[in-house]
Amino acid sequence: MVALLASASVLLSACSSDDGGAPGERSSASPAASSPAASPSPSADLAPAKGSVEVVKTLTDSLASPWGLAALPGGDLLVGSRDEATITLVDGESGRKTLLGSVPGVSPSGEGGLLGLAVAPTFGADHLIYAYFTTESDNRVARLLYDERKPAGQRLGAPDTILRGIPKGSVHNGGRIAFGPDRMLYVGTGETGDTGLAQDKDSPAGKILRMTPDGEPVHGNPEADSVVYTYGHRNVQGLAWDRGKQLWAAEFGQDTWDELNRVEPGKNYGWPEAEGEQGKSGFVDPVAQWKTSEASPSGIAYAEGSIWMAGLRGERLWRIPLSGRADGAPLAEPQSFLEGKYGRLRTVLAAGGAGLWLVTSNTDGRGTPKKGDDRILLLKVR
């Protein structure tokens, strides 16, 4: 059960245990010159205290180790295979799959491989796709040209690396990427099991990074010459913005608490000195936290006034209704859905209005695949 370590006025942010560690381990429109401003949602826009989830349909199935998911402007989806290093186009209506191609240079191993995907906000003009992936030497972010005129399997251009040198490991590679309301690229990384990297502001590991679409530091970052936006993270797995343009992040804890964090530039989220709510000076406590057996959070999305968080080890979808309060405290206790019904849940993506796309993760070597795994589900939520 979700632990709320304070009254409704002070709910902590969640720290998630590695989905995820090694086997046996417990596991925009605003100018680039400023950070995206957060503003609380009007009370009329608040979610109800209790929500609901309806599985509308299975869009597609038989996916191999799906991880990253991104939506094209027309409503079709891109899904990446962590272990096969391929990107596939999924028709948003029929679910028909078309292989776009492989991403060269990917070296899948452990929790590494082809991880997060993002579509450039300028996609209509430049047709660029962004990917976070593990190579033989590092984790990196690259962009690839998508040319739909070419034959299936040959539609991806060569990767143009915009950021290299993110430490890699058999665990804790992070990997979630997303463009924010400010049209800047945000990247969640892990500390690769080397806990000290999370507090080292000269290392990109154990951080949330903010950069231009070319991989350069953004004017308005905490340090002008650095892409580091926040630090003290163990393994960031989910990034999403609410209606007020506030950034939220989910991450794995170690043995005790998984976390949902309200992200503010320059802040220290505590790892390895703090896991979950500790109340230690200089560290930001999570807004909500979960026992590691109930979450191991991966992707998150915002819809209908709530953050929706996919759980790997917990095999459920969590709903965290937002209050719009300055301290980020949820409106009500988080609520879980679909427990055990579809196995491990990897990625969740807003589908517009009350819709959510949800990706299962049972073919990644840690799940128990059933016939048809893995799949993309369309949900209706409130």
Side-chain angles (χ1 to χ4, degrees), residues 37 159 170 209 290 329 338 358:
S170 60
L209 312 175
W290 291 259
L338 307 178
L358 179 64

Side-chain angles (χ1 to χ4, degrees), residues 67-68 80-82 85-87 103 106 112-117 131-134:
W67 209 102
S81 168
R82 185 192 70 182
T86 56
I87 298 177
V103 179
V106 178
L114 178 59
L115 302 175
L117 299 178
Y132 181 112
F133 57 88
T134 311

Side-chain angles (χ1 to χ4, degrees), residues 20 51 60-61 86 102 110 115 128 181 222 254 272 305 312 321 331 343 347 349 368-369:
T60 196
D61 59 16
T86 56
S102 299
L115 302 175
L128 290 176
Q254 181 168 273
L312 291 161
L331 180 71
T347 299
L349 180 71
T368 303

Side-chain angles (χ1 to χ4, degrees), residues 1-4 257 289-291 293-294 316 318 333-334:
M1 177 161 311
V2 173
L4 293 176
W257 298 117
Q289 68 182 18
W290 291 259
K291 293 178 181 178
S293 61
E294 296 173 345
R316 67 198 81 175
W318 285 101
E333 184 169 345

Side-chain angles (χ1 to χ4, degrees), residues 118-138:
V119 172
T122 52
F123 181 84
D126 57 30
H127 298 277
L128 290 176
I129 299 167
Y130 286 71
Y132 181 112
F133 57 88
T134 311
T135 73
E136 290 287 349
S137 60
D138 65 0

Side-chain angles (χ1 to χ4, degrees), residues 66 312 342-346 359-364 366-367 374:
L312 291 161
Y342 294 97
R344 293 157 53 83
L345 306 180
R346 171 68 68 180
V359 182
T360 67
S361 188
N362 297 309
T363 59
D364 66 345
R366 290 193 170 96
D374 272 307

Side-chain angles (χ1 to χ4, degrees), residues 174-187:
R176 196 69 62 183
I177 61 175
F179 280 94
D182 56 353
R183 302 171 75 86
M184 297 297 108
L185 183 64
Y186 292 73
V187 177

